Amino acid sequence: MASSHSSSPVPQSNSSDAFFKKEVDATKRFRSPVQSLPDVCPKEPTGNPNNLHDSPSLVVDQQRWTIYHSKVNLPAALNDPRLAKRESDFFTKTWGVDFVDTEVTPSFYLPQITKEHFALYQQEITPREKVHERCKNICPPKDTFDRTLLHTHDKSRTDLEQVPKIFMKPDFALEDSLTFNAVLPWSHFSTAGGKGNRDAASSKLLQEKLSHYLDIVEVNIAHQISLRSEAFFHAMTSQHELQDYLRKTSQAVKLLREKISKIDKVMCEGSLRVLRLSLTRNNCIKAYNKLKLMATVHQTQPTVQLLLSTSEYVGALDLIATTQEVLQQELQGIHSFRHLGSQLCELEKLIDKMMIAEFSTYARNDLNRPLEDDCQILEEERLVSLVFGLLKQRKLNFYEIYGDEMINTAKNIIKQCVVNTVSQIEEIDTEVVVKLADQMRMMNFPQWFDLLKNIFSKFTIFLKRVKATLNTLRSVVFLVLEKNQKSRDLEDTFQKNPAKESTVDSEVAYLTHEGMFISDAFDAEPPAPPRDASPSSEPCSSDSVSEPECTTDSSSSKEHTSSSGGVLATPGVLQVTPGGVEMMISDDMKLTDLELVRLANNIQELLSNASDVCHDRSVKFLMARAKDGFLEKLNSNEFVTLSRLMEEFILDTEHICGRKSMSLRGALQSQANRFVNRFHEERKTKLSLLLDNERWKQAEVPAEFQDLVDSVSDGRISLPEKKPTATEERKPAEFLIVEGQKYATVGTVLLLIRIILEYCQCVDNIPSITTDMLTRLSDLLKYFNSRSCQLVLGAGALQVVGLKTITTKNLALSSRCLQLIVHYIPIIRAHFEARLQPKQFSMLRHFDHITKDYHDHIAEISAKLVAIMDSLFDKLLSKYEVKAPVPSACFRNICKQMAKMHEAIYDLLPEEQTQMLFLRINASYKLHLKRQLAHLSVVNDGGPLNGLVTSDVAFYTGNLQALKGLNNLDLNMAEIWEQKR
């Protein structure tokens, strides 16, 4: 073995030479011409030169090692464990001494492991190891034979490993110079003198190595042959038998081929020829059908042009779609039709533009025709055809075109109405006043009202017409939706019952298989004409779509085809619109239910938009007239008439469109608010002027006011109509009779009652201003209460009107007027409550506050009357002396003032109120008399003084009870005496 020999010394180096590294890669080793086999190379040298092998080396003897043979890289030099420590200066001279010698600080988180940590494990495993060794000795392995074989195999493998791997390579060839130099390295040695002995020794060594490798290989081959010797000898002995079997098999195959050839000639050639002829015939038929199909497809464009000339858009689109399908399936790859697909696409785009343009024209003609026309839908068949075509092309925004035309038409309606009205008014000179808005502002209210009424009537007809057209559009959409649902149900049925589906398919197989045409099938079977084919020879126009035989399906254009064949047909479903128009809906209308439902909702929304447009244009018309304050100057009757007209129009549009539009209602509410403000300010100003000029004297009641009060008493609050002049000759009454009671009142209160009824009637005429009117009426009633209090109780009338004094009669009359208003407050409250929403009932609390204020005011007036007499009693009784004559002057003055008081208020206040008032006055009188008697030390002892006082009191009692209505008054004069304790 090469490893057992030593080599001659070689020069030492600080780095290892590539020739001495055994682990170097074999491929790299063979590429270098100076490398040798691993077994031939000496062992790797160490640091001691005495340990080098002394045996001769071909490599060393051939070429001495020099520095130029160094193949070591920098990492190998740095990582060489044999380097001295001083050589680490490579880094330390640049990066510092501490770079190499720095010690790593041990981690605090890792424990120090010593042998003591494994002591317990050793104690546990030692007995087990001893038991294991004992068992191995007692029980030897059973597979002795297998182990022997394994041992032999391992030995052979070890021997083969001695052979260099280069001999085992599949591409081993000595012709290769690299391989040859690797196997025989001595060929590179020079034959110079002085080296003969060494060359001979090296050659001998190489020869021995190669011989040894040959012996190893031969031994292994022999071993392998010995293992398979039985199979080898068996194969050799059976070789002759195999040759006999092959010879017999060859003869049998030859005989079989001869028989098959005879059978083929006798039995198969004729049948196969028949099959080939049949196949050729079928191919010819297919070619003929293809040619017919090509001829029909060739006529597509002229047929489409002919259909477009009659506005048969759906038929043209169906024909294009069918042709495109045929081109992609049946005629794919036909060179002559390579441009037809793109041409049909361009034609389809052109049809899209034509349909949109025609729909726009239709919308313009439909909306701009005279509004007096009774026909609701213009050319319904044409509309249905256009909508089906647009749906087929997925042009789902066609309703927007109708919406734009609808806005323009609404503008034109107002403009045309204004022009027609202005032209009929002679007072307006159109040459001087050029602008249409200025001409409209020159109209008076009746003229302008008639114009607005005309506009509203035109808008109503316009909305009805729009609704009818949009209903037709929605019906078409719903027909398509219904067709989709039926198709889905039919597919579900077929999935559940496939036998039925196969039966249906077999019935139409002849019509659809291998490019067959529906028209050919009809020609072959005359008794069964198709439902969608037209028997007429005249072309269908857009005006005749309603006829059953003229449909928008492509089969309706059969009469327009060329003589070369029939028309490609698209299967469809016959549907009838609500207007009675029959349409054939093709199956290729790929629209989802969601898209159709959304489109139907958008069309329905368009009707609401039409209502909004009409309302918006009406609002602009109103605002144009209201610029100069025209609407604010209207009187109540005119504004009520205008409000009723607008309310009727709003209700009509809501009934037509099914949705409320708020713009016109909002404008009406805005104008109503302005009207309410002006209405309230006018009446409040009028009431203020009346109160400032009121002298607080009882006024006569005209008959019309009595009729007004009587109408309210009948349960309705409204201003009565003016009666004929004969009834106006009735004389005015002294009192106002309300439900059997007499009310003495002033003229201001009579007019206030009329004003209150005007508020109530305005609420009936304009329900939208109920809350505003309630607030304004509350303010008016509060104003009357506060202002009358200032003028009467506050004596403001002395400066405003010029009264000399506020008399008891003025006070009593004011109290009675307040009582009259209080009487009507519950009636007014009930009137407003019936017209308010439940959530607005909280506003009725204003009437409760007003009622309380009026009662307080009435109580203050009564207290004022009592206070007047109280001050008189205090003045007179403070000078009273008990002496003759009887009755005394003091009591005579008191009775005189009491009579004047009674005379002033008796005709104004009811008898019950008069009695209550005099009871309070009498109580005040008794209090002052009692105080004066106590001051005079007059007691009820039956003495002379007591008799004089009793006589005066009897005189007072007699005079007071003699007054009208006070005869039964309980005066209880015994309270004037001090009670004895």
Side-chain angles (χ1 to χ4, degrees):
M1 297 296 291
S3 60
S4 62
H5 298 282
S6 61
S7 61
S8 61
V10 295
Q12 296 296 319
S13 175
N14 291 336
S15 60
S16 300
D17 186 40
F19 299 116
F20 305 127
K21 293 188 66 175
K22 286 191 174 185
E23 288 77 13
V24 75
D25 187 74
T27 58
K28 296 181 180 179
R29 187 165 61 242
F30 294 145
R31 289 177 184 175
S32 178
V34 298
Q35 293 175 345
S36 61
L37 292 174
D39 295 319
V40 179
C41 296
K43 291 185 178 180
E44 183 178 343
T46 61
N48 189 1
N50 296 327
N51 294 332
L52 293 174
H53 297 285
D54 296 332
S55 60
S57 173
L58 288 176
V59 178
V60 176
D61 292 342
Q62 181 182 5
Q63 185 175 357
R64 292 286 181 177
W65 184 88
T66 64
I67 192 171
Y68 298 103
H69 292 85
S70 176
K71 303 292 183 179
V72 181
N73 54 13
L74 182 59
L78 296 177
N79 295 328
D80 192 349
R82 297 171 297 177
L83 294 177
K85 187 175 182 181
R86 60 181 178 82
E87 295 181 0
S88 63
D89 292 341
F90 180 83
F91 288 110
T92 57
K93 68 180 181 181
T94 303
W95 293 342
V97 181
D98 298 333
F99 178 80
V100 176
D101 296 336
T102 302
E103 296 183 359
V104 180
T105 305
S107 175
F108 296 101
Y109 302 100
L110 298 177
Q112 294 294 332
I113 306 300
T114 60
K115 291 184 178 181
E116 286 73 10
H117 289 84
F118 299 94
L120 181 60
Y121 173 76
Q122 289 179 352
Q123 292 176 3
E124 293 178 356
I125 205 64
T126 300
R128 299 180 184 178
E129 185 180 4
K130 291 180 180 180
V131 173
H132 178 68
E133 294 295 335
R134 191 182 304 116
C135 293
K136 287 174 62 178
N137 296 331
I138 295 174
C139 300
K142 297 179 180 180
D143 52 347
T144 306
F145 177 76
D146 295 338
R147 289 180 178 273
T148 303
L149 290 177
L150 182 61
H151 176 70
T152 304
H153 177 71
D154 292 342
K155 183 179 179 181
S156 300
R157 185 176 182 181
T158 304
D159 293 340
L160 285 175
E161 288 179 353
Q162 296 179 9
V163 180
K165 295 181 179 179
I166 191 172
F167 294 104
M168 305 297 181
K169 295 179 66 175
D171 57 347
F172 177 79
L174 289 177
E175 292 82 359
D176 187 5
S177 60
L178 294 178
T179 305
F180 185 82
N181 291 332
V183 174
L184 301 175
W186 54 269
S187 61
H188 293 276
F189 286 18
S190 175
T191 57
K195 296 183 181 179
N197 295 332
R198 300 195 61 164
D199 289 343
S202 179
S203 299
K204 184 178 181 181
L205 177 62
L206 177 61
Q207 185 177 1
E208 292 177 356
K209 289 291 182 182
L210 294 177
S211 300
H212 179 67
Y213 297 156
L214 179 60
D215 294 340
I216 291 173
V217 173
E218 289 178 351
V219 169
N220 278 274
I221 291 174
H223 177 69
Q224 295 295 330
I225 292 175
S226 64
L227 293 177
R228 296 170 177 79
S229 59
E230 183 178 357
F232 177 76
F233 287 111
H234 181 270
M236 294 300 295
T237 54
S238 61
Q239 180 68 24
H240 297 290
E241 295 179 0
L242 289 176
Q243 291 179 355
D244 295 338
Y245 291 155
L246 288 175
R247 186 169 50 256
K248 293 179 181 179
T249 303
S250 176
Q251 294 175 357
V253 169
K254 182 178 179 181
L255 181 60
L256 180 61
R257 286 181 176 178
E258 292 176 356
K259 292 181 179 180
I260 291 175
S261 177
K262 294 179 181 179
I263 293 173
D264 180 50
K265 291 180 180 179
V266 175
M267 301 182 65
C268 297
E269 283 187 0
S271 301
L272 290 176
R273 184 170 178 274
V274 171
L275 291 176
R276 279 195 296 272
L277 292 176
S278 176
L279 182 61
T280 303
R281 179 180 179 276
N282 291 335
N283 291 336
C284 292
I285 292 175
K286 290 181 181 180
Y288 171 72
N289 291 333
K290 289 286 185 181
L291 292 175
K292 285 185 65 179
L293 187 61
M294 291 175 63
T296 304
V297 170
H298 184 68
Q299 295 297 322
T300 298
Q301 287 179 312
T303 306
V304 169
Q305 297 292 343
L306 190 59
L307 290 174
L308 293 180
S309 64
T310 58
S311 300
E312 291 261 357
Y313 297 108
V314 179
L317 290 172
D318 287 340
L319 183 57
I320 290 175
T322 306
T323 305
Q324 291 278 24
E325 185 178 356
V326 170
L327 287 175
Q328 294 175 3
Q329 296 179 1
E330 301 293 335
L331 301 180
Q332 187 176 7
I334 302 298
H335 186 72
S336 60
F337 288 151
R338 64 187 182 278
H339 300 304
L340 182 58
S342 59
Q343 293 173 358
L344 292 177
C345 290
E346 294 298 328
L347 189 59
E348 189 173 0
K349 294 179 181 178
L350 177 62
I351 293 175
D352 291 347
K353 296 179 181 179
M354 292 177 63
M355 285 193 299
I356 293 175
E358 184 157 354
F359 184 80
S360 178
T361 303
Y362 174 85
R364 192 178 304 110
N365 295 336
D366 177 51
L367 295 175
N368 292 326
R369 57 196 168 112
L371 293 173
E372 293 78 11
D373 192 1
D374 295 334
C375 181
Q376 294 293 328
I377 302 178
L378 177 66
E379 298 180 5
E380 183 177 0
E381 298 86 354
R382 176 187 173 194
L383 174 62
V384 171
S385 176
L386 283 173
V387 174
F388 271 117
L390 293 170
L391 291 178
K392 182 177 179 64
Q393 294 302 103
R394 299 183 63 85
K395 302 296 181 181
L396 303 183
N397 59 343
F398 63 89
Y399 64 91
E400 297 177 358
I401 301 174
Y402 196 85
D404 296 338
E405 292 295 337
M406 190 172 59
I407 295 174
N408 297 330
T409 304
K411 295 179 182 179
N412 295 332
I413 287 175
I414 293 181
K415 183 177 181 180
Q416 191 63 36
C417 290
V418 173
V419 171
N420 295 338
T421 305
V422 169
S423 62
Q424 297 174 2
I425 300 176
E426 299 178 356
E427 293 81 2
I428 301 177
D429 189 357
T430 56
E431 296 180 358
V432 178
V433 183
V434 180
K435 290 185 178 181
L436 198 61
D438 295 336
Q439 297 173 1
M440 183 261 295
R441 293 189 186 98
M442 296 179 65
M443 300 179 186
N444 54 29
F445 178 77
Q447 295 170 343
W448 181 81
F449 182 79
D450 292 338
L451 172 61
L452 181 63
K453 188 175 181 180
N454 185 28
I455 291 174
F456 284 166
S457 63
K458 298 290 185 183
F459 274 153
T460 303
I461 299 174
F462 169 73
L463 288 177
K464 291 180 179 179
R465 182 173 296 172
V466 170
K467 181 179 181 180
T469 304
L470 295 181
N471 285 341
T472 303
L473 299 181
R474 294 182 77 235
S475 65
V476 173
V477 175
F478 284 133
L479 284 177
V480 177
L481 180 61
E482 182 182 359
K483 181 258 177 186
N484 289 348
Q485 293 175 351
K486 289 182 178 179
S487 299
R488 266 198 315 274
D489 295 340
L490 190 60
E491 290 177 1
D492 296 340
T493 304
F494 284 161
Q495 290 177 359
K496 295 178 181 178
N497 191 1
K500 182 177 180 180
E501 180 181 7
S502 61
T503 303
V504 175
D505 291 341
S506 63
E507 292 176 356
V508 297
Y510 176 73
L511 305 181
T512 58
H513 184 62
E514 297 298 343
M516 186 62 66
F517 301 101
I518 292 179
S519 58
D520 296 339
F522 294 156
D523 294 337
E525 298 182 34
R531 180 175 59 179
D532 56 347
S534 175
S536 175
S537 60
E538 297 179 0
C540 286
S541 64
S542 61
D543 297 331
S544 60
V545 181
S546 59
E547 296 297 327
E549 64 273 5
C550 295
T551 66
T552 57
D553 188 73
S554 60
S555 60
S556 64
S557 59
K558 176 182 176 182
E559 63 277 2
H560 298 304
T561 60
S562 64
S563 60
S564 61
V567 179
L568 297 174
T570 301
V573 179
L574 185 64
Q575 298 284 357
V576 181
T577 64
V581 180
E582 294 183 355
M583 293 298 296
M584 182 64 69
I585 304 178
S586 59
D587 293 332
D588 59 345
M589 194 171 292
K590 303 301 182 182
L591 291 173
T592 63
D593 292 352
L594 181 61
E595 291 175 334
L596 293 172
V597 171
R598 186 184 295 115
L599 178 60
N601 293 336
N602 291 336
I603 295 175
Q604 182 63 30
E605 187 67 23
L606 193 61
L607 181 60
S608 302
N609 294 341
S611 176
D612 294 339
V613 168
C614 294
H615 283 222
D616 293 340
R617 303 311 304 178
S618 300
V619 169
K620 290 184 179 180
F621 179 76
L622 289 174
M623 293 300 103
R625 189 65 182 90
K627 275 188 176 181
D628 54 355
F630 172 77
L631 299 179
E632 298 179 5
K633 298 176 183 178
L634 299 179
N635 57 38
S636 300
N637 294 330
E638 292 174 342
F639 187 82
V640 167
T641 306
L642 175 62
S643 175
R644 287 179 176 175
L645 177 63
M646 295 174 67
E647 284 288 349
E648 290 177 1
F649 176 69
I650 292 173
L651 293 177
D652 290 341
T653 56
E654 290 178 0
H655 176 71
I656 295 172
C657 302
R659 196 183 74 172
K660 294 183 178 180
S661 297
M662 302 307 297
S663 57
L664 185 58
R665 193 182 295 275
L668 176 60
Q669 185 65 37
S670 176
Q671 293 297 327
N673 293 336
R674 297 178 183 177
F675 168 75
V676 168
N677 292 332
R678 183 180 57 81
F679 180 88
H680 176 66
E681 292 299 328
E682 288 180 355
R683 279 145 186 80
K684 188 174 181 179
T685 303
K686 181 178 180 180
L687 179 62
S688 177
L689 294 175
L690 290 173
L691 287 172
D692 290 343
N693 294 303
E694 182 59 59
R695 302 189 65 84
W696 297 100
K697 292 182 179 181
Q698 183 178 359
E700 293 181 345
V701 179
E704 59 176 337
F705 284 98
Q706 184 62 52
D707 295 338
L708 183 65
V709 172
D710 294 340
S711 66
V712 176
S713 301
D714 294 338
R716 64 179 185 277
I717 297 181
S718 61
L719 296 176
E721 298 179 358
K722 291 185 177 180
K723 296 182 179 180
T725 54
T727 59
E728 295 180 358
E729 297 178 357
R730 293 182 299 172
K731 295 181 179 179
E734 185 178 0
F735 295 96
L736 184 66
I737 308 300
V738 180
E739 296 182 358
Q741 293 189 11
K742 293 182 178 180
Y743 284 89
T745 182
V746 296
T748 301
V749 174
L750 292 176
L751 294 176
L752 176 59
I753 293 175
R754 184 178 183 85
I755 291 173
I756 291 173
L757 297 184
E758 289 177 353
Y759 275 81
C760 295
Q761 187 177 17
C762 193
V763 168
D764 290 338
N765 296 329
I766 312 175
S768 60
I769 61 174
T770 302
T771 55
D772 292 336
M773 278 296 184
L774 190 150
T775 306
R776 301 301 195 282
L777 182 56
S778 301
D779 179 67
L780 187 72
L781 293 175
K782 291 178 181 178
Y783 176 77
F784 172 76
N785 184 42
S786 60
R787 187 59 179 162
S788 61
C789 182
Q790 293 173 3
L791 293 173
V792 180
L793 280 178
L798 299 180
Q799 292 80 19
V800 176
V801 187
L803 296 180
K804 296 181 180 180
T805 183
I806 302 299
T807 63
T808 55
K809 191 168 186 177
N810 298 137
L811 292 172
L813 187 59
S814 174
S815 176
R816 194 57 175 162
C817 291
L818 294 173
Q819 292 174 22
L820 178 61
I821 301 300
V822 169
H823 173 79
Y824 282 106
I825 287 179
I827 301 175
I828 300 171
R829 175 193 172 102
H831 181 81
F832 277 90
E833 184 176 3
R835 287 151 183 81
L836 288 175
Q837 300 293 332
K839 61 182 179 180
Q840 299 172 337
F841 284 167
S842 59
M843 299 185 67
L844 298 174
R845 67 180 183 276
H846 293 298
F847 292 112
D848 299 333
H849 299 328
I850 294 171
T851 303
K852 181 178 179 302
D853 293 341
Y854 272 70
H855 283 301
D856 293 341
H857 191 183
I858 294 170
E860 290 178 4
I861 293 176
S862 299
K864 183 65 176 178
L865 292 173
V866 175
I868 292 173
M869 297 304 297
D870 184 76
S871 62
L872 179 64
F873 293 150
D874 184 45
K875 179 180 179 182
L876 294 176
L877 291 177
S878 62
K879 301 177 181 180
Y880 172 63
E881 297 179 357
V882 182
K883 62 180 181 178
V886 178
S888 63
C890 177
F891 273 78
R892 282 197 297 269
N893 287 334
I894 289 173
C895 291
K896 182 179 179 181
Q897 294 299 328
M898 295 283 279
K900 288 183 179 181
M901 169 70 76
H902 182 270
E903 182 182 359
I905 68 175
Y906 182 76
D907 294 333
L908 302 178
L909 298 178
E911 185 175 343
E912 296 81 5
Q913 294 184 21
T914 304
Q915 293 177 358
M916 292 299 299
L917 180 62
F918 273 91
L919 283 176
R920 294 178 61 185
I921 294 173
N922 180 63
S924 175
Y925 162 76
K926 290 189 292 183
L927 181 62
H928 285 282
L929 180 58
K930 182 177 180 180
R931 186 183 298 117
Q932 184 64 22
L933 292 177
H935 177 69
L936 297 175
S937 301
V938 178
V939 296
N940 188 13
D941 56 357
L945 294 177
N946 179 262
L948 293 174
V949 172
T950 301
S951 299
D952 287 336
V953 170
F955 175 76
Y956 164 78
T957 303
N959 277 277
L960 187 59
Q961 291 180 345
L963 296 176
K964 190 175 181 180
L966 302 181
N967 52 347
N968 296 326
L969 200 63
D970 186 9
L971 302 178
N972 194 12
M973 299 304 297
E975 295 179 354
I976 64 175
W977 305 105
E978 289 286 347
Q979 299 294 332
K980 294 182 180 181
R981 297 179 181 177

